[in-house]
């Protein structure tokens, strides 16, 4: 899986304005949404071995915080390249906190904040501590969680063999089966993110494709009645209420469909955690080629048209953008479950009423897929 990309959307100021204007989620949404973006749990993967060939070599990254190594076997406990050094760097970058007390058998501390040891419900971003058979401690950050399995991001987990230095990347541990392992969580983690981290999170090329004000209004009669074509009001509603409610604002992504058809995501975040479904699709889902809605499956789209396959290969983000800018107007089929061309030709009343093909997709979503007009032909 790829690390968090910068999400260029409507900016942090847009979030603040939205929260002021609409009280559906208020400030709690901002904290939860931003926390979710930074702590997305994903299934654990197998560890891989990397040879360390130069000082400062980046071997892994999580939320933009790089884990770096230097050749050799040991580093000081307080050094930049130590295991504790990464924990300190991560919490400084993400929460603006100076974490200390990273000593053998101690509980992490930060001025004005506390950490608690937890035995279940692990999340990405938790601090993981492991004591080896010799009694030495090692610190790491949970990068991903799959049930009781925790994928780590860490520094200074390395060894020498044949005069060369190697590191293990994305090791998987389990508190239930790994002896002397403790997990700590910052109380209220995520609520004190700094401005720089917030701005960084709200800047992904995928997120900006997931909101179309006209599409959003045309898919929901209550929004059309409330806001008409007021793009600012529609955007504010989507930020403060729509994401949490599981609404779709783009043909590319339907959070309810996504969770229902991606069991690993639902298992990690919950079957109705639509904010995290949004986050996962932005940061991982589309770039992995996952289908995001009943009307668009990027792999199907590319495999169905040789010109697109030749043009984009496995560049799923560019292919999705093509569907929005060209494919819909050309009546190209975006998934095996829905054909815009068939829907247009088989439902002449819809085609007459909606000259814009994208509005016909909205009609399908509101009245057929989630509505009562199941008799209509669409494939």
């Amino acid at each position: 899986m790829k690390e968090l990309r910068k999400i260029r959307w409507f900016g942090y100021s847009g979030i603040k304005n939205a929260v002021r204007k609409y009280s559906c989620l208020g400030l709690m949404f901002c904290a939860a949404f931003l926390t979710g973006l930074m702590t997305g749990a994903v299934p654990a993967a197998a560890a891989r071995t990397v040879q360390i060939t130069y000082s400062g070599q980046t071997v892994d990254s999580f939320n933009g915080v790089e884990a770096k190594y230097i050749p050799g076997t040991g580093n000081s406990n307080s050094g930049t390249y130590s295991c504790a050094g990464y924990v300190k760097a991560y919490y400084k970058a993400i929460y603006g906190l100076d974490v200390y007390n990273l000593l053998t058998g101690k509980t992490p501390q930060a001025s004005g904040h506390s950490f608690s040891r937890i035995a279940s419900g692990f999340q990405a971003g938790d601090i993981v501590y492991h004591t080896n058979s010799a009694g030495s401690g090692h610190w790491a950050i949970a990068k991903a969680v799959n049930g009781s399995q925790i994928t780590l991001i860490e520094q200074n987990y390395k060894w020498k063999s044949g005069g060369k230095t190697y590191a293990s990347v994305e090791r998987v541990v389990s508190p239930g089966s790994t002896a002397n392992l403790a997990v700590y969580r910052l109380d209220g983690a995520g609520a004190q993110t700094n401005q720089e981290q917030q701005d960084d999170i709200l800047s992904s090329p995928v997120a900006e494709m997931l909101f179309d004000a006209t599409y959003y209004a045309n898919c929901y009669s209550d929004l059309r009645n409330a806001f008409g074509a007021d793009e600012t009001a529609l955007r504010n509603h989507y930020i403060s209420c729509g994401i949490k409610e599981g609404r779709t604002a783009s043909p590319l992504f339907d959070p309810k469909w996504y969770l229902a058809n991606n069991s690993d995501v639902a298992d990690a975040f919950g079957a109705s955690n639509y904010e995290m479904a949004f986050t996962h699709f932005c940061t991982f889902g589309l770039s992995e080629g996952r289908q995001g809605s009943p009307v668009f499956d990027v792999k199907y789209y590319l495999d169905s048209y040789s010109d697109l396959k030749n043009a984009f290969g496995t560049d799923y983000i560019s292919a999705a953008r093509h569907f929005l800018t060209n494919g819909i107007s050309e009546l190209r089929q975006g998934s095996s479950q829905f054909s815009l061309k068939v829907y247009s030709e088989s439902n002449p009343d819809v085609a007459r009423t909606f000259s814009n093909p994208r509005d016909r997709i909205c009609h399908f979503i509101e009245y057929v897929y989630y509505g009562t007009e199941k008799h209509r032909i669409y494939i």
Side-chain angles (χ1 to χ4, degrees):
M1 294 192 176
K2 298 184 178 177
E3 64 186 84
L4 269 175
R5 295 186 178 84
K6 296 197 176 240
I7 303 180
R8 294 191 190 281
W9 194 13
F10 27 76
Y12 178 58
S13 60
I15 290 276
K16 292 192 292 185
N17 293 336
V19 170
R20 293 193 195 101
K21 190 169 183 180
Y22 295 92
S23 60
C24 177
L25 296 177
L27 293 173
M28 290 179 64
F29 171 79
C30 276
F33 181 60
L34 294 173
T35 302
L37 282 170
M38 288 184 297
T39 59
V42 293
R48 64 185 189 277
T49 298
V50 175
Q51 183 182 350
I52 308 303
T53 58
Y54 62 92
S55 295
Q57 179 176 337
T58 297
V59 300
D60 201 1
S61 180
F62 182 41
N63 290 340
V65 184
E66 297 178 337
K68 297 182 178 181
Y69 280 66
I70 60 176
T73 53
N75 301 125
S76 69
N77 290 334
S78 60
T80 301
Y81 301 107
S82 70
C83 58
Y86 183 79
V87 173
K88 288 174 172 287
Y90 184 85
Y91 272 78
K92 184 66 173 179
I94 301 303
Y95 301 113
L97 297 179
D98 292 313
V99 175
Y100 61 95
N101 209 40
L102 297 175
L103 303 171
T104 301
K106 300 295 184 179
T107 297
Q109 295 183 25
S111 179
H113 302 271
S114 61
F115 286 83
S116 299
R117 183 170 177 174
I118 57 175
S120 61
F122 309 116
Q123 297 177 1
D126 291 341
I127 296 177
V128 181
Y129 176 76
H130 179 217
T131 304
N132 62 23
S133 59
S136 299
H138 178 73
W139 297 91
I141 295 289
K143 182 180 182 181
V145 176
N146 182 25
S148 64
Q149 290 187 313
I150 301 174
T151 299
L152 301 178
I153 179 167
E154 55 196 332
Q155 289 182 163
N156 204 30
Y157 190 83
K158 59 185 180 178
W159 63 94
K160 288 189 72 173
S161 178
K164 298 178 181 179
T165 302
Y166 299 91
S168 183
V169 181
E170 293 188 332
R171 287 195 304 133
V172 177
V173 297
S174 176
S177 59
T178 304
N180 304 317
L181 190 146
V183 181
Y184 299 93
R185 178 170 302 156
L186 175 67
D187 294 340
Q192 301 84 25
T193 55
N194 58 33
Q195 179 70 53
E196 292 75 20
Q197 183 64 18
Q198 291 170 336
D199 290 340
D200 182 60
I201 290 168
L202 294 174
S203 64
S204 164
V206 176
E208 67 183 50
M209 293 192 289
L210 301 190
F211 178 77
D212 178 326
T214 301
Y215 185 91
Y216 191 47
N218 287 345
C219 282
Y220 301 99
S221 57
D222 61 329
L223 300 184
R224 293 196 298 274
N225 294 335
F227 306 118
D230 186 334
E231 182 173 344
T232 299
L234 289 164
R235 177 182 284 110
N236 289 343
H237 180 276
Y238 184 62
I239 299 167
S240 60
C241 299
I243 296 174
K244 179 179 175 63
E245 294 169 356
R247 301 204 190 216
T248 178
S250 167
L252 302 182
F253 180 68
D254 180 330
K256 292 181 178 179
W257 189 96
Y258 191 64
L259 287 174
N261 291 274
N262 290 274
S263 60
D264 59 328
V265 181
D267 289 344
F269 304 125
S272 60
N273 191 335
Y274 304 125
E275 297 105 316
M276 285 308 301
F278 174 91
T279 300
H280 186 275
F281 187 75
C282 285
T283 57
F284 301 120
L286 181 57
S287 62
E288 292 173 352
R290 296 196 189 218
Q291 182 173 349
S293 79
V295 302
F296 186 71
D297 176 349
V298 68
K299 288 184 178 179
Y300 177 93
Y301 188 56
L302 286 169
D303 290 342
S304 298
Y305 300 98
S306 59
D307 59 329
L308 302 183
K309 192 75 171 179
N310 292 335
F312 302 117
T314 57
D315 183 351
Y316 298 133
I317 294 176
S318 294
R321 186 174 292 109
H322 179 275
F323 180 71
L324 293 177
T325 58
N326 300 93
I328 293 174
S329 61
E330 295 169 1
L331 300 185
R332 298 209 192 210
Q333 186 166 339
S335 84
S336 62
Q337 296 150 284
F338 177 77
S339 169
L340 181 56
K341 187 173 188 294
V342 170
Y343 192 63
S344 300
E345 294 174 349
S346 301
N347 299 279
D349 58 325
V350 176
R352 285 194 302 270
T353 302
F354 303 104
S355 58
N356 187 331
R358 188 172 303 199
D359 294 339
R360 299 172 198 168
I361 298 178
C362 296
H363 182 276
F364 167 75
I365 293 295
E366 182 176 14
Y367 293 103
V368 181
Y369 194 78
Y370 288 115
T372 59
E373 299 182 15
K374 306 296 186 183
H375 63 280
R376 291 189 180 270
I377 299 172
Y378 54 87
I379 192 65

